[in-house]
Amino acid sequence: MSTAGKAKRRKRSQLSLIWFRFRKNKLAMLGLIIFLMMIFMAAYVSIFGDYEKAITMDMPNKLQTPSAAHLFGTDQFGRDILMRMMFGARISLSVGLLTMVLSLVVGSLIGAAAGYYGGKVDNLLMRIMDVFLAIPSTLLAISIVAALGQGMFNLLLATAVSQIPAFARVVRSAILTVKGQDYIEAARACGMRGGRIILRHILPNAMGPIIVQATLNIARTILGISSLSFVGLGISPPTPEWGSMLSEGKTMMRYYPHLILIPGAAIALAVMSLNLIGDGLRDALDPRLKN
Amino acid sequence: MLRYIMKRFLMMIPVILGITFIIFAIMNFTPGDPAKLILGEEATAEDVAKLRTELGLDDPFLVRFARYVINAVQGDFGTSYRNRQPVFNEIFDRFPTTFKVAFFGILIAVFIGVPIGILSAVKQYSIIDTISTIGAMLLTAMPGFFVGMLLILLFALKLNILPATGISSWKHFVLPSLAVASVTMATFIRMTRSTMLEVIRQDYVRTARAKGASESRIVFRHCLRNALLPIITVIGMNFAHQLGGTVMIEAVFAIPGLGSHMVTAVRQKDTPVVMASIIFVAVVAGLMNLLVDILYTYIDPRVKTQYTKG
């Protein structure tokens, strides 16, 4: 009991140390604040208006410039752009997070197995990952959408598959660094099995680089989803999604630039905040890496 | 040296086979019957069955995969379901356009990004460094196709000095290439800056400074030469990536390249075209990386001795 309490206390103090370093990084804090605001917006957008408002057409009010009733104006179908942008955040962030979880779990398992067992298993798994990495990620995603058809779940799968190798690599190298430590040997001597050692002892100690990778991964997924939707292979209209909003606004942008500026800015803000958090976390977790 | 290149070529074969297998396996999940797609909706069941045997669609998965590879090795990647033409006719027609956009984009990114990266490393924490870091941060966050739309808005619609769509003259390639360059440039700035900063702190740089070498000689001869290797790796990787990533840029600028071809093929469920295009780009990307590796041996004599010995 006492050892568990001790371990917990140590962990907390380390966490607070990381938080302390992260907090001193102004850019990272800015990223965190923007990201939290986006999460809040995505979670509570229903307070400001119904989903109906974001998808039902209202032709008499089409293409309005920003006003008190429509803060960001309306699009060519008379839908409120602010509402669409906020519901778009819901889609981008939830697909981004789910994709991250999916590729994190699969990638970690592959990377952990490769790093822990080494030898032939390592060679085989990592060569397979290399092949996946050799296919440009956009093309891999397109081919999966081509095979499975459009839709939220298939899009999630398509973006997740192309992110798996990155996680596998990070986890593998993290495991290789902690593998030789005495406490792993001790766990093995106690008769623990491979899977349990990986889950209980190795992964928690390799968490740092994995978290950084996960943050950057969400940013990349948000870009990926909007790209696919932009060419019409992702989330299809009328569902509000930033990429498809850009695609719809493209034809009208000459006279109504706000149609593309707002969804574009939303993508940029989301991606930038996540990149800032990722960089900040990397510096906070390992101050030696900071140059 | 030649042996090393040969060896690298041979090592590419399993990778290409692996790529083909993955894409083939993914495409295998495509719902719908290709025979029905070819013959149209009003085809009789017998005709469909006959064509299925003809195309070998009823064979087991591995048999079909082996047949695809054997035909592919002989240069036959199948025919399009839509126009019954060999798939590579159109791929070869369209690839140069995509290649040009990606190539010019990378070129611009290198010539702007690398110098800025060097400058902000040499003058670390100066105004220039801050501006370029913030600029790189913004560019990384904006998707290339959004930058492309902004460029159209500014240069084509407001200032009216460059065309927005089409490919009929060199002017048409300026904006798409800039759009491709935007994200890549940010990567190059960050990469160049961080590798240069690493090199600047090395002992041999201090030695060079101590013996009285001029600042420009130190930066270019001593630092850049040693920082070049990782920078070139990133350039090569990005070029390979851009060949597959111009899909969205092509959509913005209405460029009839390989990317837009692929998107059309996906919408029409034209599996042979999708497959051949993806395999083709992946192979070109692989060759690109090989080229970069060979380039290493010329830039860094240490790499060369490593291989000529072994």
Side-chain angles (χ1 to χ4, degrees):
Chain A
M1 228 27 228
S2 65
T3 48
K6 222 177 197 172
K8 205 176 170 190
R9 205 157 57 227
R10 228 196 107 238
K11 207 173 159 194
R12 249 178 69 189
S13 71
Q14 190 157 9
L15 263 184
S16 64
L17 198 65
I18 292 167
W19 172 236
F20 176 72
R21 285 196 219 109
F22 185 85
R23 218 171 35 188
K24 280 205 302 195
N25 186 338
K26 279 181 206 133
L27 279 176
M29 280 309 281
L30 178 73
L32 187 66
I33 290 167
I34 297 175
F35 186 65
L36 287 179
M37 272 166 65
M38 286 212 155
I39 294 258
F40 180 82
M41 196 172 81
Y44 295 107
V45 43
S46 323
I47 296 173
F48 304 104
D50 289 335
Y51 184 59
E52 289 302 309
K53 231 173 124 186
I55 53 165
T56 28
M57 299 186 187
D58 180 16
M59 289 321 258
N61 285 322
K62 71 171 183 179
L63 291 169
Q64 283 186 9
T65 41
S67 65
H70 301 282
L71 271 182
F72 287 164
T74 59
D75 67 3
Q76 65 264 53
F77 301 110
R79 300 172 297 203
D80 186 70
I81 292 181
L82 179 64
M83 289 310 290
R84 285 179 69 70
M85 193 202 79
M86 293 205 286
F87 276 106
R90 187 175 267 193
I91 288 180
S92 288
L93 292 179
S94 54
V95 176
L97 283 169
L98 281 174
T99 303
M100 186 270 283
V101 171
L102 194 65
S103 47
L104 173 76
V105 170
V106 179
S108 300
L109 287 178
I110 294 175
Y116 183 77
Y117 293 108
K120 275 183 188 158
V121 181
D122 182 25
N123 227 326
L124 177 76
L125 288 174
M126 290 327 278
R127 286 303 80 76
I128 295 175
M129 289 297 106
D130 283 349
V131 172
F132 271 99
L133 272 180
I135 309 173
S137 52
T138 323
L139 296 188
L140 189 59
I142 287 181
S143 68
I144 293 172
V145 173
L148 302 179
Q150 283 181 39
M152 190 93 90
F153 181 72
N154 294 344
L155 186 70
L156 205 151
L157 210 62
T159 37
V161 168
S162 48
Q163 309 264 22
I164 289 173
F167 276 112
R169 282 191 156 189
V170 170
V171 173
R172 175 177 173 271
S173 65
I175 281 184
L176 286 181
T177 54
V178 295
K179 194 173 141 190
Q181 312 257 333
D182 287 341
Y183 64 87
I184 305 296
E185 203 57 47
R188 202 175 291 134
C190 291
M192 267 189 161
R193 284 172 190 276
R196 209 172 139 79
I197 293 180
I198 291 176
L199 281 181
R200 291 293 295 270
H201 293 284
I202 296 185
L203 280 182
N205 284 295
M207 227 46 219
I210 299 175
I211 293 173
V212 173
Q213 177 66 33
T215 323
L216 301 176
N217 168 290
I218 304 174
R220 221 168 300 152
T221 307
I222 290 177
L223 279 178
I225 299 161
S226 65
S227 304
L228 282 178
S229 300
F230 181 72
V231 289
L233 297 177
I235 291 164
S236 38
T239 311
E241 199 281 334
W242 296 334
S244 57
M245 281 169 78
L246 278 172
S247 161
E248 282 179 338
K250 201 175 73 180
T251 45
M252 300 283 199
M253 71 178 178
R254 174 171 212 145
Y255 303 106
Y256 305 98
H258 68 277
L259 289 185
I260 64 155
L261 291 180
I262 286 151
I267 297 175
L269 266 181
V271 174
M272 196 178 71
S273 66
L274 282 161
N275 282 341
L276 288 176
I277 296 173
D279 288 350
L281 274 177
R282 183 169 43 211
D283 293 344
L285 285 164
D286 192 350
R288 278 167 304 161
L289 283 176
K290 197 176 175 187
N291 48 45
Chain B
M1 190 58 215
L2 201 68
R3 245 187 71 195
Y4 166 65
I5 297 176
M6 279 307 293
K7 206 175 132 196
R8 287 297 312 268
F9 257 113
L10 290 180
M11 270 159 62
M12 262 191 79
I13 294 174
V15 176
I16 294 172
L17 261 181
I19 293 172
T20 315
F21 183 79
I22 289 171
I23 304 291
F24 195 87
I26 292 173
M27 286 305 177
N28 198 41
F29 287 109
T30 315
D33 188 343
K36 265 188 197 146
L37 254 167
I38 297 169
L39 294 170
E41 281 305 314
E42 54 279 1
T44 62
E46 286 137 55
D47 284 342
V48 170
K50 210 178 127 208
L51 191 66
R52 278 189 71 89
T53 9
E54 226 173 86
L55 293 171
L57 289 172
D58 297 323
D59 294 332
F61 172 75
L62 283 176
V63 175
R64 276 181 291 133
F65 175 67
R67 190 165 46 224
Y68 185 81
V69 171
I70 291 167
N71 287 338
V73 169
Q74 294 162 344
D76 174 16
F77 280 82
T79 51
S80 158
Y81 288 161
R82 292 289 157 177
N83 58 16
R84 307 300 287 150
Q85 292 281 314
V87 288
F88 262 90
N89 289 3
E90 194 138 10
I91 291 178
F92 282 143
D93 278 352
R94 283 163 172 268
F95 181 65
T97 314
T98 297
F99 187 84
K100 268 188 223 162
V101 173
F103 182 75
F104 291 139
I106 296 290
L107 214 62
I108 296 171
V110 169
F111 278 101
I112 299 178
V114 174
I116 291 181
I118 296 173
L119 205 65
S120 60
V122 173
K123 306 225 183 288
Q124 197 186 1
Y125 302 130
S126 68
I127 288 285
I128 302 171
D129 185 27
T130 314
I131 293 175
S132 81
T133 306
I134 292 174
M137 201 172 73
L138 287 175
L139 282 181
T140 329
M142 285 198 279
F145 59 88
F146 179 57
V147 175
M149 292 164 97
L150 293 181
L151 289 170
I152 291 184
L153 208 57
L154 180 65
F155 290 103
L157 301 179
K158 291 274 184 282
L159 300 176
N160 217 352
I161 46 174
L162 284 165
T165 54
I167 50 161
S168 41
S169 75
W170 66 269
K171 276 187 180 173
H172 290 88
F173 283 98
V174 176
L175 294 183
S177 304
L178 278 175
V180 168
S182 67
V183 181
T184 330
M185 193 157 62
T187 320
F188 292 171
I189 293 175
R190 290 172 72 141
M191 187 71 199
T192 311
R193 181 176 180 274
S194 66
T195 42
M196 280 296 278
L197 280 177
E198 242 165 62
V199 175
I200 282 176
R201 293 191 188 139
Q202 299 286 323
D203 287 340
Y204 56 78
V205 174
R206 200 183 309 141
T207 311
R209 206 162 262 146
K211 75 174 187 188
S214 71
E215 196 60 26
S216 70
R217 195 181 152 84
I218 290 171
V219 169
F220 290 102
R221 291 283 303 190
H222 295 277
C223 298
L224 188 60
R225 193 97 200 248
N226 282 294
L228 217 51
L229 219 58
I231 297 173
I232 287 185
T233 314
V234 174
I235 294 174
M237 268 166 51
N238 270 283
F239 188 35
H241 185 85
Q242 282 304 333
L243 283 177
T246 55
V247 180
M248 292 86 205
I249 305 287
E250 285 176 21
V252 174
F253 293 95
I255 293 170
L258 196 53
S260 52
H261 185 47
M262 229 179 299
V263 173
T264 320
V266 169
R267 286 224 190 87
Q268 299 178 332
K269 295 193 189 304
D270 200 342
T271 317
V273 175
V274 179
M275 261 178 65
S277 317
I278 292 174
I279 293 168
F280 178 73
V281 174
V283 169
V284 174
L287 286 174
M288 226 58 234
N289 285 328
L290 176 59
L291 205 69
V292 168
D293 281 1
I294 295 171
L295 211 64
Y296 276 0
T297 58
Y298 287 95
I299 294 163
D300 194 339
R302 282 172 301 186
V303 179
K304 190 168 183 174
T305 43
Q306 223 170 22
Y307 290 115
T308 39
K309 263 186 209 156

